[in-house]
Amino acid sequence: MEKRTEIRLAGEGGQGMILAGIILAEAAAIYDGKQATQTQSYGPEARGGASRSEVVISDVEIDHPEVLSADVVVALSQEAYQKFAKTVHSGGLLIVDEDHVAVRADFAGVKVPIARIAQEATGKPITANTVALGVLVGMTGMVSKEALEKAVIARAPKGTEEMNRKALAAGFAAAGGRKAAA
Amino acid sequence: MTIQLMQGNEAIAMGAIAAGCRFYAGYPITPSTEVAEVMSRVLPKVGGKFIQMEDEIASMAAIIGGRVGGLKSMTATSGPGFSLMQENIGYAAMAEIPCVVVNVQRLGPSTGQPTAASQGDVMQARWGTHGDHQIIVLCPISVAQSFDLTVKAFNLSEKYRTPVILLTDEIIGHMREPIELPDFDIVEKFERLVTDTPDNYKAYRNDRGDVPALAGFGLGYRYHITGLFHDEVGFPTQRLDEIDPWLERVSRKIETADDILLYQTDYEAGARTAILSYGASARTARHATKQMRAKGEKVSLFTTQTLWPFPEKAVEELADSVDKIVVPEMNLGQLALEVERVVGRKKVVRVNRANGDMITPNMVLEAAEA
């Protein structure tokens, strides 16, 4: 069977998690030369509500395009955590924003103050999605850091490139020595 | 050429531009809106026209008018809008006006679930408009195929003077995948030239092949367009000797064509089980097929891009070599009805899901291994 990596990025609508999924898929497909699919699920509302983005990365052609058993779940909100924490397989990686998610007693994932890091690094909480990508890739290496940076910059609105670079670097730094297989 | 990450809906719009579509009329609706968004941005740059209409009835009427005026035309919609378009789709079939109608299927009936996927319009695409008629329905399984089949839809539509439905779904339409767009100048485009002079031109003549050329309105060719049964010039008729030849010709032109049926076979020698699917569910079917083969189980895979006309000879051949055909689809069993018609009910195992979620590979595996 193909070796596939499945990632689920979840938060509130408007937090940019769907865009984060697109950027991750672009890093893999355009800059790292892999196969990738990105799908999403959202409610009818433009903001608020639970929103999730799914990315599948593989070295070979991807068949079923959605996540079946997540290798990584990133949850930026309580609702996202409650809905998707259980979808990560044993041995997978669960990353939560510790300021916005109250975890259960048996929590075995990684807590990172993602929104707070974004605020401190750029003064803009809206860069939390870029920070989350930095943490995710810093910990797993599922795509190269260079590919991710190129993908983030290619998607950054004009004038926000430096801010996004800072947010990404802060994410990489927060990943620090923490490594996880994915 | 460069690799881009693109949504299926965006690839449909690019395919339309590549195929020579220069007129789009539509009423945006989730999950098809990206088609309209891209067309509204790109069409004016290539000399085309984009119109946002007041509703889907008008949208369908406008693209018929657009093509009669001489421009290749398209609209895109989803369930509720597709329902409204049915009357004019029949008009396009009756008047033999080429046009492409994209339906990005969402959960229905009625307003259903706008952001949830479905394959519930398979039968509607075939029989949604009243009366006996022929129609071509194509269904992509990837972003790249969304581009290719849109080009194909335009070419078949022109070649056979018929509406063509591109029946995709929310999964394939919204999914992003890498795609390398070809140079649009080298994309094959079918154009049927009018060889008759205005004096002897007949828009519906039955004596020169099955597909008379369609002359653009306002270019000196005179003909009448109506939804009534008509004679060779297009005027209403009740004469059986005019109705019968027309009916035979428009049925024959699609039934006997050898380039409409598109499907892929991946047969394994000795397999007694086959999986047959289309659209998003075909991705799941392919996944399950590979899983079974990795376990050493023999299984064949049949993926069809043409839903209508149904590739019945190919499916008949498939059935001859297996005991069981598993048909996964995101509805309560629609294409399965057609498979059952061709191969008999005993051999067909349905795998259905109609709640907005994709069928999983495990659901297909369980049915195939049972």
Side-chain angles (χ1 to χ4, degrees):
Chain A
M1 281 302 288
E2 58 180 287
K3 160 84 176 94
R4 52 189 268 157
T5 305
E6 302 187 341
I7 306 99
R8 180 169 275 150
L9 305 166
E12 278 172 27
Q15 276 189 315
M17 291 313 263
I18 288 178
L19 179 59
I22 295 170
I23 289 171
L24 183 61
E26 285 180 336
I30 299 175
Y31 302 105
D32 268 351
K34 296 182 179 187
Q35 294 296 316
T37 60
Q38 182 271 336
T39 56
Q40 57 212 338
S41 167
Y42 53 93
E45 58 279 82
R47 278 179 190 75
S51 151
R52 75 168 192 261
S53 187
E54 299 189 349
V55 180
V56 178
I57 298 172
S58 173
D59 294 327
V60 297
E61 181 181 49
I62 294 167
D63 299 317
H64 190 80
E66 293 189 346
V67 167
L68 294 164
S69 172
D71 297 290
V72 183
V73 168
V74 180
L76 294 194
S77 69
Q78 188 68 30
E79 191 184 351
Y81 168 74
Q82 275 158 348
K83 246 175 139 173
F84 301 118
K86 57 184 176 293
T87 66
V88 66
H89 63 70
S90 59
L93 172 65
L94 172 61
I95 301 172
V96 301
D97 186 326
E98 63 178 88
D99 293 344
H100 294 95
V101 176
V103 299
R104 289 168 19 146
D106 60 353
F107 179 75
V110 175
K111 295 193 231 172
V112 184
I114 290 170
R116 199 192 329 152
I117 292 172
Q119 177 69 39
E120 286 165 5
T122 67
K124 305 263 185 199
I126 200 169
T127 57
N129 58 349
T130 307
V131 173
L133 283 174
V135 173
L136 168 68
V137 169
M139 286 189 69
T140 63
M142 63 175 63
V143 298
S144 67
K145 286 184 175 177
E146 297 71 35
L148 182 62
E149 185 172 342
K150 282 182 196 163
V152 165
I153 296 308
R155 279 276 175 185
K158 253 198 163 44
T160 68
E161 293 89 346
E162 207 37 52
M163 183 174 81
N164 275 287
R165 259 195 206 98
K166 277 185 192 159
L168 191 60
F172 287 149
R178 292 193 268 214
K179 290 284 170 215
Chain B
M1 293 198 293
T2 50
I3 294 178
Q4 320 171 46
L5 203 71
M6 191 177 273
Q7 286 187 305
N9 284 346
E10 295 169 330
I12 288 169
M14 298 318 284
I17 300 288
C21 173
R22 292 296 178 267
F23 184 76
Y24 182 101
Y27 186 81
I29 179 172
T30 301
S32 75
T33 305
E34 296 80 10
V35 180
E37 284 175 355
V38 176
M39 292 306 272
S40 71
R41 276 201 302 270
V42 180
L43 259 185
K45 292 181 187 161
V46 295
K49 289 274 182 289
F50 174 97
I51 304 182
Q52 177 162 332
M53 301 299 294
E54 66 269 35
D55 61 30
E56 291 87 348
I57 299 174
S59 303
M60 190 60 218
I63 67 162
I64 291 170
R67 180 59 189 87
V68 169
L71 296 182
K72 291 184 184 174
S73 303
M74 181 172 87
T75 189
T77 188
S78 188
F82 195 52
S83 291
L84 289 177
M85 288 179 181
Q86 292 305 325
E87 182 181 2
N88 280 329
I89 289 173
Y91 186 89
M94 180 56 119
E96 294 181 84
I97 310 299
C99 54
V100 174
V101 178
V102 179
N103 175 7
V104 187
Q105 294 168 96
R106 71 190 217 187
L107 199 57
S110 192
T111 1
Q113 189 89 263
T115 57
S118 159
Q119 296 179 303
D121 305 346
V122 171
M123 284 296 171
Q124 186 191 24
R126 177 66 189 88
W127 294 114
T129 198
H130 59 276
D132 281 297
H133 63 284
Q134 297 294 328
I135 198 144
I136 298 172
V137 180
L138 306 178
C139 177
I141 72 162
S142 67
V143 171
Q145 218 175 63
S146 298
F147 179 93
D148 294 342
L149 285 189
T150 303
V151 173
K152 190 84 185 168
F154 273 97
N155 287 341
L156 291 176
S157 162
E158 291 294 323
K159 188 169 178 187
Y160 297 106
R161 255 183 86 173
T162 176
V164 175
I165 312 294
L166 187 77
L167 191 67
T168 183
D169 54 67
E170 191 276 338
I171 303 283
I172 304 295
H174 277 163
M175 177 170 66
R176 288 179 178 84
E177 279 186 311
I179 180 173
E180 278 186 85
L181 291 181
D183 180 348
F184 289 4
D185 291 337
I186 59 163
V187 168
E188 199 180 317
K189 301 169 192 70
F190 185 90
E191 318 275 352
R192 188 182 296 282
L193 299 175
V194 180
T195 51
D196 289 324
T197 61
D199 289 343
N200 63 5
Y201 176 77
K202 288 177 181 170
Y204 299 98
R205 67 190 315 151
N206 294 315
D207 62 349
R208 234 172 267 174
D210 286 341
V211 192
L214 179 67
F217 249 36
L219 299 177
Y221 298 85
R222 297 170 65 181
Y223 59 102
H224 186 254
I225 302 179
T226 175
L228 292 162
F229 273 91
H230 43 268
D231 63 18
E232 291 190 324
V233 185
F235 285 108
T237 182
Q238 294 185 28
R239 283 173 50 176
L240 301 187
D241 64 344
E242 290 178 331
I243 290 173
D244 282 333
W246 182 85
L247 207 49
E248 283 164 26
R249 177 175 64 72
V250 296
S251 298
R252 197 170 54 227
K253 71 178 181 182
I254 299 210
E255 283 169 356
T256 63
D258 58 4
D259 58 351
I260 295 177
L261 301 179
L262 309 170
Y263 52 85
Q264 272 114 44
T265 55
D266 177 6
Y267 293 165
E268 193 167 37
R272 303 308 301 169
T273 298
I275 304 172
L276 183 154
S277 196
Y278 58 95
S281 296
R283 299 288 289 255
T284 312
R286 205 167 68 189
H287 194 105
T289 300
K290 287 182 186 169
Q291 279 182 318
M292 286 178 73
R293 289 177 180 168
K295 289 196 278 181
E297 296 167 26
K298 288 183 171 21
V299 63
S300 288
L301 179 67
F302 188 104
T303 307
T304 189
Q305 279 79 61
T306 305
L307 301 187
W308 306 106
F310 188 66
E312 53 186 30
K313 284 211 181 76
V315 172
E316 226 164 17
E317 277 170 31
L318 170 71
D320 285 343
S321 69
V322 298
D323 304 320
K324 179 162 88 174
I325 300 181
V326 178
V327 186
E329 49 185 338
M330 293 171 63
N331 53 43
L332 296 178
Q334 295 199 14
L335 202 68
L337 291 168
E338 194 65 5
V339 181
E340 287 168 0
R341 178 183 70 77
V342 173
V343 312
R345 283 171 61 178
K346 281 185 185 161
K347 279 194 177 182
V348 178
V349 178
R350 301 178 182 194
V351 178
N352 302 120
R353 192 171 209 184
N355 60 8
D357 274 0
M358 279 190 89
I359 291 171
T360 63
N362 274 344
M363 291 168 70
V364 181
L365 274 184
E366 274 171 29
E369 290 173 345

